[in-house]
Amino acid sequence: MKPRLLLVEDDPISSRFLAAVLQALPADVDTATDCAAALAYDGRYALWLIDANLPDGSGSDLLARLRQRSPATPGIAHTADGSAWLHQQLLAAGFAQVLVKPLTAQALQTAVRDALSGNAGRTAAAASAAAASDADAGASADWDDETALRALHGNAQHVGQLRDLFLAELPSVRTQIADAWDSGDFAGLQAALHRLRASCGFVGAARLAAAVQRLQAAPASPQAREEFQTAAEALTAGR
């Protein structure tokens, strides 16, 4: 019998990628975009996979509320933030593992199998670091096809579908980033860049991912903003 999993992720690109990989385990997957939607499900799950930051609360708070219903169910946190302090905080909150997005299908499936078998004593930091290294290596090109295909077990159709969704979402994301930058809302800017960076990794948007990373490091830099805009326009023009 296939395990039933709950995936909580507000970014549509990340959610589509993660759900497809989990279904291929195989597993039955319910998806939610925020804490309220996750808590609205009344079924029992073998595992929860929860984004660390959600529109209506934190992943740690959601885990605590879900544990009131099912204390023994394991949880895996996923985040685009690779900082050690956040990982320690999430593990202390009760998550069995912390996965850094973007990550490959193999890394996600291995983590889920470990959690389901009770062998979840590590994070996916090494696999995520390898993915980041691949993205950096291809950062001069708009698309890193090799990394995108490897992340999805070589399924070119899934890569194409994810990229179509990514490009459809990109104009609104660019507007959100531009508005935050112009208004000096650097907290909002970092939140939008955080989500976009994970999406770039899943679809292999290497050049834009590198530009996002540099703008995250220097959010007030006009040069970093111009580099980001140029990389985003190149993808939009090539659609």
Side-chain angles (χ1 to χ4, degrees):
M1 184 175 178
K2 292 188 291 186
R4 187 180 181 193
L5 313 178
L6 176 61
L7 170 65
V8 190
E9 169 61 68
D10 65 315
D11 176 63
I13 310 297
S14 299
S15 180
R16 181 79 66 88
F17 174 91
L18 297 172
V21 172
L22 294 171
Q23 289 163 355
L25 276 168
D28 292 322
V29 183
D30 290 331
T31 60
T33 58
D34 55 25
C35 298
L39 293 168
Y41 284 112
D42 57 5
R44 297 187 67 84
Y45 294 95
L47 175 67
W48 304 306
L49 297 103
I50 304 173
D51 191 0
N53 296 288
L54 295 162
D56 58 349
S58 72
S60 296
D61 289 342
L62 176 57
L63 178 67
R65 296 182 67 180
L66 290 171
R67 282 270 163 80
Q68 293 175 0
R69 302 178 180 178
S70 181
T73 301
I76 292 178
H78 47 92
T79 175
D81 188 340
S83 59
W85 71 266
L86 176 61
H87 291 204
Q88 293 169 358
Q89 184 181 71
L90 291 168
L91 292 171
F95 285 103
Q97 295 193 58
V98 180
L99 306 180
V100 181
K101 299 175 291 189
L103 70 163
T104 67
Q106 181 179 1
L108 175 59
Q109 290 177 345
T110 297
V112 169
R113 291 189 181 104
D114 285 348
L116 292 175
S117 67
N119 189 34
R122 55 190 176 82
T123 70
S128 301
S133 178
D134 288 341
D136 290 342
S140 61
D142 289 335
W143 297 112
D144 181 353
D145 293 329
E146 181 180 352
T147 297
L149 285 168
R150 185 163 60 250
L152 281 165
H153 286 321
N155 192 318
Q157 182 178 2
H158 281 176
V159 171
Q161 291 171 348
L162 275 178
R163 284 182 176 175
D164 286 344
L165 179 59
F166 176 81
L167 290 171
E169 294 279 333
L170 186 55
S172 63
V173 175
R174 289 181 62 191
T175 298
Q176 181 182 2
I177 289 171
D179 289 347
W181 203 92
D182 290 338
S183 65
D185 178 13
F186 292 114
L189 175 64
Q190 289 288 6
L193 292 171
H194 176 86
R195 293 177 57 193
L196 180 57
R197 184 174 175 185
S199 297
C200 287
F202 286 132
V203 300
R207 181 184 176 193
L208 182 58
V212 167
Q213 186 174 0
R214 281 188 274 273
L215 187 55
Q216 285 180 301
S221 167
Q223 182 178 356
R225 184 191 186 190
E226 182 178 356
E227 182 181 351
F228 165 78
Q229 291 174 326
T230 299
E233 287 167 1
L235 289 183
T236 304
R239 184 175 182 179

